[in-house]
Amino acid sequence: MKFDLPFKEHITRKQLNLNLELYWKKTLKSYKRNLIISIVGILLGSLIVYGNGNVGFVFIAMGTYGIFEFCKIRVAYNNSKRKYFETINKLVEEQIKSGTNSTWEFNEDNFAYKDYKFDLKIKWEGFSGFRVIEDNLFLDVINNHLLSYILGKEEIGDEQFENLIVFIETKLKRTSH
């Protein structure tokens, strides 16, 4: 199967934003849960201290540490997000300036991709798996899912997308997101 696709900025931005959200989803969820536990710990510790119990200071200290860790991860997330979108903006600008289409080719032995900057082939063994999320196919190059080739149903059409998924299932194992 071969697809010659014109560049569509809104699709690219949507796909790359989804990729970032999926990458950080589990971490942010875990730290938000820890934030709630930390706040409850501080409140419980305050009540214990108010009732003249010194053990309440332990709860306050643990809660404060939890809030500190939450703030650390939020700063890391915000910095990562800022750098990621700076890179995306540069990529979009370069792609628009080039005026070229991207070519996606799915062969028996490999996946081939070509755009204004890259012309590459990756053997199927080079992928860790694939995911289908919100009508987008993610071909994951490495296990942490941050490096993926993303192709959407919106770009190639319903029937072609379904045919592609069937083909990819013969080549790669489906991974969770």
Side-chain angles (χ1 to χ4, degrees):
M1 280 181 256
K2 186 174 181 178
F3 305 102
D4 190 40
L5 304 174
F7 179 72
K8 295 183 180 171
E9 181 179 349
H10 72 281
I11 293 174
T12 298
R13 288 186 183 279
K14 185 172 82 172
Q15 289 172 337
L16 293 174
N17 188 43
L18 176 61
N19 196 37
L20 179 70
E21 288 174 18
L22 291 169
Y23 180 76
W24 278 93
K25 182 180 179 179
K26 191 182 288 186
T27 301
L28 291 176
K29 185 178 179 180
S30 171
Y31 276 89
K32 283 179 185 177
R33 186 185 67 244
N34 290 347
L35 175 65
I36 292 168
I37 292 169
S38 298
I39 291 170
V40 169
I42 289 172
L43 293 173
L44 181 61
S46 297
L47 287 173
I48 294 171
V49 168
Y50 181 72
N52 292 327
N54 289 336
V55 76
F57 289 113
V58 173
F59 286 99
I60 292 171
M62 289 181 356
T64 303
Y65 176 76
I67 290 173
F68 174 73
E69 286 297 311
F70 174 79
C71 291
K72 255 181 26 179
I73 201 69
R74 284 304 294 194
V75 166
Y77 168 71
N78 289 336
N79 287 338
S80 175
K81 188 175 179 179
R82 181 183 46 76
K83 288 177 185 174
Y84 188 76
F85 284 114
E86 285 172 1
T87 302
I88 288 172
N89 290 337
K90 183 179 177 190
L91 175 133
V92 165
E93 182 181 304
E94 289 173 352
Q95 181 66 47
I96 290 171
K97 199 179 288 185
S98 77
T100 60
N101 292 349
S102 62
T103 304
W104 300 66
E105 194 168 345
F106 300 86
N107 300 311
E108 282 300 315
D109 297 329
N110 60 49
F111 162 73
Y113 176 81
K114 182 178 180 180
D115 67 8
Y116 75 100
K117 203 176 214 179
F118 298 103
D119 186 358
L120 55 90
K121 288 183 180 179
I122 302 173
K123 293 181 181 180
W124 292 114
E125 295 81 21
F127 291 96
S128 63
F130 77 99
R131 301 168 285 151
V132 178
I133 303 166
E134 296 181 16
D135 291 332
N136 290 289
L137 169 66
F138 288 74
L139 294 172
D140 298 322
V141 179
I142 54 178
N143 287 328
N144 73 3
H145 302 313
L146 191 57
L147 180 56
S148 302
Y149 289 90
I150 309 168
L151 186 61
K153 183 186 284 188
E154 181 179 3
E155 296 172 281
I156 62 174
D158 293 346
E159 187 177 324
Q160 290 285 24
F161 190 76
E162 295 306 320
N163 292 339
L164 180 58
I165 299 302
V166 169
F167 176 78
I168 295 296
E169 284 176 334
T170 66
K171 299 295 176 188
L172 301 173
K173 66 179 171 50
R174 190 178 291 251
T175 55
S176 63
H177 57 279

Coordinates of all heavy atoms in Angstrom, one line a residue, residues 25-67:
K25 N 0.1 11.0 30.0 CA -1.1 10.7 30.6 C -1.0 9.9 32.0 O -1.5 10.3 33.0 CB -2.0 9.9 29.7 CG -3.4 9.6 30.2 CD -4.2 8.8 29.2 CE -5.5 8.4 29.7 NZ -6.3 7.7 28.6
K26 N -0.3 8.8 31.9 CA -0.2 8.0 33.1 C 0.6 8.7 34.2 O 0.2 8.6 35.4 CB 0.6 6.7 32.8 CG 0.5 5.6 33.9 CD 1.3 4.4 33.5 CE 0.5 3.6 32.4 NZ 1.2 2.3 32.1
T27 N 1.6 9.4 33.9 CA 2.4 10.1 34.9 C 1.6 11.2 35.6 O 1.6 11.3 36.8 CB 3.7 10.7 34.3 OG1 4.5 9.6 33.7 CG2 4.5 11.5 35.3
L28 N 0.9 12.0 34.8 CA 0.1 13.1 35.3 C -1.0 12.6 36.2 O -1.3 13.2 37.2 CB -0.4 14.0 34.2 CG 0.7 14.8 33.4 CD1 0.0 15.6 32.3 CD2 1.4 15.7 34.4
K29 N -1.6 11.5 35.7 CA -2.7 10.9 36.5 C -2.2 10.4 37.9 O -2.9 10.7 38.9 CB -3.4 9.8 35.7 CG -4.6 9.2 36.4 CD -5.2 8.1 35.5 CE -6.4 7.4 36.2 NZ -7.0 6.4 35.4
S30 N -1.1 9.8 37.9 CA -0.5 9.3 39.1 C -0.2 10.4 40.1 O -0.5 10.4 41.3 CB 0.7 8.5 38.8 OG 1.4 8.2 40.0
Y31 N 0.4 11.5 39.5 CA 0.8 12.6 40.4 C -0.4 13.4 40.9 O -0.3 14.0 42.0 CB 1.9 13.5 39.7 CG 3.3 12.9 39.9 CD1 3.8 12.0 39.0 CD2 4.0 13.3 41.0 CE1 5.1 11.5 39.2 CE2 5.3 12.8 41.2 CZ 5.8 11.9 40.3 OH 7.0 11.4 40.5
K32 N -1.4 13.5 40.1 CA -2.7 14.2 40.6 C -3.3 13.4 41.7 O -3.7 14.0 42.7 CB -3.7 14.3 39.4 CG -3.3 15.4 38.4 CD -4.3 15.5 37.3 CE -3.9 16.5 36.3 NZ -4.8 16.6 35.2
R33 N -3.3 12.1 41.6 CA -3.8 11.2 42.7 C -2.9 11.4 44.0 O -3.4 11.6 45.1 CB -3.8 9.8 42.3 CG -4.4 8.8 43.3 CD -4.3 7.4 43.0 NE -3.0 6.9 43.1 CZ -2.2 6.5 42.0 NH1 -2.8 6.4 40.8 NH2 -1.0 6.1 42.2
N34 N -1.6 11.5 43.8 CA -0.7 11.7 44.9 C -0.9 13.1 45.5 O -0.8 13.3 46.7 CB 0.7 11.6 44.5 CG 1.1 10.1 44.2 OD1 0.3 9.2 44.5 ND2 2.2 9.9 43.6
L35 N -1.3 14.1 44.7 CA -1.5 15.5 45.2 C -2.8 15.4 46.1 O -2.7 16.0 47.2 CB -1.8 16.4 44.0 CG -2.2 17.8 44.4 CD1 -1.1 18.5 45.2 CD2 -2.6 18.6 43.2
I36 N -3.8 14.7 45.7 CA -5.0 14.7 46.5 C -4.7 14.0 47.9 O -5.1 14.5 48.9 CB -6.1 13.9 45.8 CG1 -6.6 14.8 44.6 CG2 -7.3 13.6 46.7 CD1 -7.5 14.1 43.6
I37 N -3.9 12.9 47.8 CA -3.5 12.2 49.0 C -2.7 13.1 49.9 O -2.8 13.1 51.1 CB -2.8 10.9 48.7 CG1 -3.7 9.9 48.0 CG2 -2.1 10.3 49.9 CD1 -3.1 8.7 47.4
S38 N -1.8 13.9 49.3 CA -1.0 14.8 50.1 C -1.8 15.9 50.8 O -1.5 16.2 51.9 CB 0.1 15.5 49.1 OG 0.9 14.5 48.6
I39 N -2.8 16.4 50.1 CA -3.6 17.5 50.7 C -4.4 16.9 51.8 O -4.5 17.5 52.9 CB -4.5 18.1 49.6 CG1 -3.7 18.9 48.6 CG2 -5.6 18.9 50.2 CD1 -4.5 19.4 47.4
V40 N -4.9 15.7 51.6 CA -5.6 15.0 52.7 C -4.7 14.8 53.9 O -5.1 15.0 55.1 CB -6.3 13.7 52.3 CG1 -6.8 12.9 53.4 CG2 -7.4 14.0 51.3
G41 N -3.5 14.4 53.6 CA -2.5 14.2 54.7 C -2.2 15.4 55.5 O -2.1 15.4 56.7
I42 N -2.1 16.5 54.8 CA -1.8 17.8 55.4 C -3.0 18.2 56.3 O -2.8 18.7 57.4 CB -1.5 18.9 54.4 CG1 -0.1 18.7 53.8 CG2 -1.5 20.3 55.0 CD1 0.3 19.6 52.6
L43 N -4.2 18.1 55.8 CA -5.4 18.4 56.5 C -5.5 17.5 57.8 O -5.8 18.0 58.9 CB -6.6 18.3 55.7 CG -6.8 19.3 54.5 CD1 -8.0 19.0 53.7 CD2 -6.8 20.7 55.1
L44 N -5.3 16.2 57.6 CA -5.4 15.3 58.7 C -4.3 15.6 59.7 O -4.6 15.6 61.0 CB -5.2 13.8 58.2 CG -5.3 12.7 59.3 CD1 -6.6 12.7 59.9 CD2 -5.0 11.4 58.6
G45 N -3.1 15.9 59.3 CA -2.0 16.2 60.1 C -2.3 17.5 60.9 O -2.0 17.6 62.1
S46 N -2.9 18.5 60.2 CA -3.3 19.8 60.9 C -4.3 19.5 62.0 O -4.2 20.1 63.1 CB -3.8 20.7 59.9 OG -2.9 21.1 58.9
L47 N -5.2 18.6 61.8 CA -6.2 18.3 62.8 C -5.6 17.6 64.0 O -5.9 17.9 65.1 CB -7.3 17.4 62.2 CG -8.3 18.1 61.3 CD1 -9.3 17.1 60.7 CD2 -9.1 19.2 62.1
I48 N -4.6 16.7 63.7 CA -4.0 16.0 64.8 C -3.1 17.0 65.6 O -3.1 17.0 66.8 CB -3.1 14.9 64.2 CG1 -4.0 13.8 63.6 CG2 -2.2 14.3 65.3 CD1 -3.3 12.7 62.9
V49 N -2.4 17.9 64.9 CA -1.6 18.9 65.6 C -2.5 19.8 66.4 O -2.2 20.2 67.6 CB -0.7 19.7 64.6 CG1 -0.1 20.9 65.3 CG2 0.4 18.8 64.0
Y50 N -3.6 20.2 65.9 CA -4.6 21.0 66.6 C -5.1 20.4 67.9 O -5.3 21.0 68.9 CB -5.8 21.4 65.7 CG -6.8 22.3 66.3 CD1 -6.5 23.6 66.6 CD2 -8.0 21.7 66.7 CE1 -7.5 24.4 67.1 CE2 -9.0 22.5 67.3 CZ -8.7 23.9 67.5 OH -9.6 24.7 68.1
G51 N -5.2 19.0 67.8 CA -5.6 18.3 69.0 C -4.4 17.9 69.9 O -4.4 17.0 70.7
N52 N -3.3 18.6 69.8 CA -2.1 18.4 70.6 C -1.3 17.1 70.3 O -0.7 16.6 71.2 CB -2.3 18.6 72.1 CG -2.7 20.0 72.4 OD1 -2.2 20.9 71.8 ND2 -3.6 20.2 73.4
G53 N -1.5 16.6 69.1 CA -0.7 15.3 68.7 C 0.4 15.7 67.9 O 0.3 16.2 66.8
N54 N 1.6 15.3 68.3 CA 2.8 15.6 67.6 C 3.0 14.8 66.3 O 3.7 15.1 65.4 CB 4.1 15.4 68.5 CG 4.2 16.5 69.5 OD1 3.6 17.6 69.3 ND2 4.9 16.2 70.6
V55 N 2.3 13.6 66.3 CA 2.4 12.7 65.1 C 1.8 13.4 63.9 O 2.2 13.1 62.7 CB 1.8 11.4 65.3 CG1 0.2 11.5 65.3 CG2 2.3 10.3 64.4
G56 N 1.0 14.4 64.1 CA 0.4 15.2 63.0 C 1.5 15.9 62.1 O 1.3 16.1 60.9
F57 N 2.6 16.2 62.7 CA 3.7 16.9 62.0 C 4.3 15.9 60.9 O 4.7 16.3 59.8 CB 4.8 17.3 62.9 CG 4.4 18.5 63.7 CD1 4.3 18.4 65.1 CD2 4.2 19.8 63.1 CE1 3.9 19.5 65.8 CE2 3.8 20.9 63.9 CZ 3.6 20.7 65.2
V58 N 4.2 14.6 61.2 CA 4.7 13.6 60.2 C 3.8 13.7 59.0 O 4.2 13.7 57.8 CB 4.7 12.2 60.8 CG1 5.0 11.1 59.7 CG2 5.7 12.1 61.9
F59 N 2.5 13.7 59.2 CA 1.5 13.8 58.1 C 1.7 15.1 57.3 O 1.6 15.1 56.1 CB 0.1 13.7 58.6 CG -0.4 12.3 59.0 CD1 -0.3 12.0 60.4 CD2 -0.7 11.4 58.1 CE1 -0.7 10.7 60.8 CE2 -1.1 10.1 58.5 CZ -1.1 9.8 59.8
I60 N 1.9 16.2 58.0 CA 2.1 17.5 57.3 C 3.4 17.4 56.5 O 3.4 17.9 55.3 CB 2.2 18.6 58.4 CG1 0.8 18.8 59.0 CG2 2.7 19.9 57.7 CD1 0.8 19.8 60.2
A61 N 4.5 16.8 57.0 CA 5.7 16.7 56.3 C 5.6 15.9 55.0 O 6.0 16.2 53.9 CB 6.8 16.2 57.2
M62 N 4.9 14.7 55.2 CA 4.7 13.8 54.0 C 3.8 14.5 53.0 O 4.1 14.4 51.8 CB 4.1 12.5 54.5 CG 5.1 11.7 55.3 SD 4.6 10.0 55.8 CE 2.9 9.8 55.5
G63 N 2.8 15.2 53.4 CA 1.9 15.9 52.5 C 2.6 17.0 51.8 O 2.5 17.2 50.6
T64 N 3.5 17.7 52.5 CA 4.2 18.8 51.9 C 5.2 18.3 50.9 O 5.4 18.8 49.8 CB 5.0 19.6 53.0 OG1 4.1 20.1 53.9 CG2 5.8 20.8 52.4
Y65 N 5.8 17.2 51.2 CA 6.7 16.5 50.2 C 6.0 16.1 49.0 O 6.5 16.3 47.8 CB 7.4 15.3 50.9 CG 8.3 14.5 49.9 CD1 9.6 15.1 49.5 CD2 7.9 13.3 49.3 CE1 10.4 14.4 48.6 CE2 8.7 12.7 48.4 CZ 9.9 13.2 48.1 OH 10.7 12.5 47.2
G66 N 4.8 15.5 49.1 CA 4.0 15.1 48.0 C 3.6 16.3 47.1 O 3.6 16.2 45.9
I67 N 3.3 17.4 47.7 CA 2.9 18.6 46.9 C 4.2 19.1 46.2 O 4.1 19.5 45.0 CB 2.3 19.7 47.8 CG1 0.9 19.3 48.3 CG2 2.3 21.1 47.1 CD1 0.3 20.2 49.3

